[in-house]
Amino acid sequence: MRATKAERPSLDPVTGRSAGARQVDSPNFDPRPAGLQPDLIVVHGISLPPDEYGGPWIDDLFTNRLDPAAHPYFAEIAGRKVSSHYLIRRTGELVQYVSCNDRAWHAGMSVYEGRSNCNDFSIGIELEGTDTTAYEPAQYRVLTDLVLTLCDAYPSLSIERLTGHSDIAPGRKTDPGIAFDWPRLRALLRMRQAYGYPA
């Protein structure tokens, strides 16, 4: 039996906020261009410090509280004003930093299908991980749920409108990397659409 929308994780289209996500408000956002709705989902990978998981550091980076003295790598990035709409930790915890109705600062200089400034029309989802370490099954499950919820909330989105950070910023970015299993995600999305929840 096909799942109903009520069975899926919810997103309030007025606020652009997801019920069930831990909310951590980032100051690093601005309005989308007038009349523009998100029509692309960009998958990223992040770990802070590099190759380490857990801890408050991703939250701190996206809220401009990263202590440059806490780790040698942090001195390089502490002043950057960046954010993402979501983070999916390796445990499957979902964190939201920016309303989906606003423009998060996740893509940087980027191009998709000839359109530049992907932040204008995309939703950014960070996965806690590295380019070469397998992502966790819980992350694929939560990502699948989230993508389908976003597609329900924004008619301009579909499960075909997914890309990686490396695809929109080739040569500059490599994430989510070779460890990210795109066929697995696409198979989960098709299965959940066809047969409902859980997979």
Side-chain angles (χ1 to χ4, degrees), residues 1 6 9 12 44 50 52 57 65 71 74 79 83 89 113 115 119-120 123 135 161 163 172 194 196:
M1 184 174 71
D12 185 337
H44 302 256
E52 295 184 22
W57 311 117
R65 297 179 305 188
H71 187 277
F74 295 169
S83 63
R89 290 199 172 270
E113 295 183 343
R115 299 165 69 191
N119 285 339
D120 289 352
I123 291 174
Y135 291 90
R161 304 286 295 174
T163 194
R172 188 175 67 84

Side-chain angles (χ1 to χ4, degrees), residues 18 20-22 41-47 53-54 58-59 62 84-97 123-130 135-148 150 180 185:
S18 291
R22 180 167 62 88
I41 295 171
V42 180
V43 179
H44 302 256
I46 187 172
S47 61
Y53 307 129
I58 299 173
D59 286 358
F62 290 161
S84 187
H85 292 94
Y86 294 99
L87 166 69
I88 302 174
R89 290 199 172 270
R90 296 190 73 78
T91 60
E93 180 192 22
L94 181 63
V95 186
Q96 185 169 16
Y97 299 97
I123 291 174
I125 303 174
E126 299 274 358
L127 301 179
E128 187 178 29
T130 70
Y135 291 90
E136 296 291 339
Q139 292 179 291
Y140 286 100
R141 289 194 297 270
V142 173
L143 179 59
T144 300
D145 289 351
L146 180 58
V147 167
L148 291 176
L150 293 170
F180 186 72
L185 174 62

Side-chain angles (χ1 to χ4, degrees), residues 11 38-39 49 54 59-60 92 104 106 111 119 150 158 185 192 195 199:
L11 184 144
D39 61 27
D59 286 358
D60 288 352
H106 61 96
V111 178
N119 285 339
L150 293 170
S158 76
L185 174 62
R192 297 268 181 106
Y195 299 111

